[in-house]
């Protein structure tokens, strides 16, 4: 009998404790999110992989709270979200149909329609060198017919489009430095091979840099930075290191573009890295031409225009504390 009363008493205490724990305390807050309202999407025709922008209100700023469907297929990549705009990537398996949107618990079955067409593909370019004003032909498949949906670039400079068809876009070389030619269809980028403007060239010379490598690995010396292989990399023996070129006695280089790629898995080590120019053989005196402030993308060459006012015999990449972990670097400009 005592055991029975003991069990009842214990359950009573547990019930009181857990019952009290379920009540709303003074710090308990409930959130009611306002219903999202979409006013439309920027493109109604496109292809998998391109970004689409949804305009509206009450979208909040958390991408994890957003779901978008294209023809019933949910997008896997919400690129960004702010209160009045959502940028989402059309999924690889998207089909034509309604575009659905859900933000938090508010779902709209249709905010518009989207027609899926085959993505454009690159085939060839008529030249990889030219002067400002030259007409270049960019060839491929599935190009959009509407010229207003097309933008041609060389590096960061926009080019004038001369003509376009389903398989070609012709544009004039802008008055700019060298760069990668990119034709965008509804902001979907289609790059071609690097394009040299005027007499600019890839700058080379005698390879200079720190000696040795971490663990004396022959595969991770400074030579790996200029071997044309994004899968090899430099790994210095000490935290600081550098790699670049001496263009030669009596010569000087004017740098206009630099292209670089990080070691896989160590992209953050390129942050604070510097592109330098010097006319001092000891490199004690130098100019910082560019400083890397964000981790570059692995597996591709990040391209940056350099506004160098002077010319230099020595141009190089310097890593203050990242073990010079770089997969590849290219210097573009003119040599006198």
């Amino acid at each position: 009998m005592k055991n029975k009363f003991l069990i009842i008493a214990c359950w009573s205490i547990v019930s009181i404790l857990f019952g009290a724990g379920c009540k709303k305390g003074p710090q308990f807050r409930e959130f009611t999110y306002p219903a999202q309202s979409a006013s439309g999407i920027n493109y109604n025709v496109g292809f998998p992989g391109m970004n689409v922008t949804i305009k509206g209100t009450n979208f909040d700023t958390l991408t994890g709270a957003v779901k978008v469907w294209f023809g019933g297929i949910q997008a896997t990549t919400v690129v960004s979200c702010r209160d009045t705009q959502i940028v989402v990537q059309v999924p690889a398996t998207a089909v034509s149909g309604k575009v659905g949107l859900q933000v938090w618990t508010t779902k709209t079955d249709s905010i518009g329609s989207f027609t899926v067409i085959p993505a454009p593909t690159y085939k060839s370019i008529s030249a990889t060198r030219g002067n400002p004003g030259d007409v270049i032909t960019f060839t491929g498949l599935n190009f959009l017919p509407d010229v207003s949906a097309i933008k041609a670039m060389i590096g960061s400079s926009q080019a004038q489009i001369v003509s376009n068809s389903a398989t070609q876009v012709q544009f004039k070389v802008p008055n700019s430095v060298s760069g990668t030619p990119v034709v965008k269809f509804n902001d979907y980028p289609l790059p071609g091979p690097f394009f040299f403007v005027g007499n600019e060239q890839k700058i080379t010379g005698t390879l200079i840099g720190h000696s040795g490598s971490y663990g004396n690995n022959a595969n991770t010396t400074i030579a790996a930075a200029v071997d044309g292989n994004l899968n090899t990399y430099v790994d210095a023996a000490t935290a600081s290191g550098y790699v670049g070129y001496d263009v030669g006695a009596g010569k000087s280089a004017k740098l206009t573009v630099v292209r670089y790629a990080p070691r896989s898995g160590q992209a953050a080590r390129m942050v604070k890295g510097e592109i330098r120019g010097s006319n001092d053989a000891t490199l004690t005196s130098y100019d910082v031409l560019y400083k890397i402030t964000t981790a570059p993308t692995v597996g591709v060459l990040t391209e940056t225009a350099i506004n160098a006012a002077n010319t230099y015999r020595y141009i190089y990449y310097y890593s203050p504390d990242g073990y010079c972990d770089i997969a590849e670097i290219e210097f573009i400009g003119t040599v006198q």
Side-chain angles (χ1 to χ4, degrees), residues 205-225:
T206 301
L207 190 64
I208 60 173
H210 60 263
S211 60
S213 62
Y214 188 82
N216 294 317
N217 186 340
N219 295 320
T220 58
T221 65
I222 58 174

Side-chain angles (χ1 to χ4, degrees), residues 7 24 58 81 91 174 176 207 248 250 258 273 277 282-283 296 304:
I7 292 172
K24 297 178 183 178
N58 298 328
C81 181
S176 67
L207 190 64
V258 65
T282 67
L283 304 183
T304 301

Side-chain angles (χ1 to χ4, degrees), residues 118-126 136-146 150 161 163-171 183 185 190:
T121 57
Y122 166 80
K123 184 178 180 182
S124 64
I125 192 169
S126 59
I136 304 300
T137 302
F138 197 91
T139 304
L141 296 173
N142 303 321
F143 289 179
L144 295 180
D146 183 4
I150 304 172
I161 295 176
S163 66
N164 69 290
S165 69
T167 58
Q168 287 188 347
V169 172
Q170 289 189 316
F171 59 87
V183 177
F185 301 91
L190 201 62

Side-chain angles (χ1 to χ4, degrees), residues 32 60 78 163 181 189 206 214 259-260 274 285 287 310 331 333 335:
T32 301
D60 206 350
V78 177
S163 66
T206 301
Y214 188 82
R259 307 173 80 204
Y260 53 87
E274 297 175 346
S285 175
D287 292 332
N310 299 317
F331 303 99
V335 178

Side-chain angles (χ1 to χ4, degrees), residues 49-68:
M50 69 175 283
N51 290 341
V52 169
T53 300
I54 301 171
K55 297 286 189 177
T57 57
N58 298 328
F59 290 156
D60 206 350
T61 57
L62 296 178
T63 57
V66 176
K67 295 179 181 178
V68 183

